[in-house]
Amino acid sequence: MDADLQDDPKEIPLLIEALGDSYDLVSGWKKKRHDSAIFTLPSRIANAITSKLTGLHIHDLNCGLKSIPKRGCKGIKNLR
């Protein structure tokens, strides 16, 4: 979770619930950003490029609000 106070901690149970048994990662999405265009425009461009290159269609890759189960963390650790 980011420290910019744009993520609502009340969303955490929803992220955990969304994991269920079939997802290895649930990512938050800042639908209403409180940043100026100097921050949001580069973020949108980066999201579009990353989405195009990876095939991952995630609205806001830069959102720090994510939920990852233990099995998903083990996979990340093994990438080193």
Side-chain angles (χ1 to χ4, degrees):
M1 175 179 286
D2 290 340
D4 61 5
L5 302 177
Q6 291 189 50
D7 298 321
D8 187 349
K10 294 176 187 167
E11 300 291 330
I12 294 172
L14 297 172
L15 288 173
I16 294 170
E17 182 182 329
L19 280 175
D21 295 325
S22 57
Y23 293 108
D24 290 325
L25 170 72
V26 177
S27 182
W29 173 17
K30 291 180 185 173
K31 287 185 178 182
K32 229 181 190 182
R33 300 254 336 227
H34 301 287
D35 300 326
S36 67
I38 199 164
F39 292 107
T40 58
L41 183 60
S43 179
R44 287 177 192 225
I45 293 169
N47 282 327
I49 292 170
T50 304
S51 180
K52 186 77 171 171
L53 291 175
T54 65
L56 294 173
H57 301 291
I58 299 174
H59 294 284
D60 187 1
L61 290 165
N62 299 320
C63 181
L65 188 59
K66 295 185 177 21
S67 180
I68 306 170
K70 187 175 182 178
R71 67 182 182 278
C73 292
K74 285 182 180 179
I76 292 170
K77 180 180 176 188
N78 292 333
L79 291 176
R80 289 195 267 161

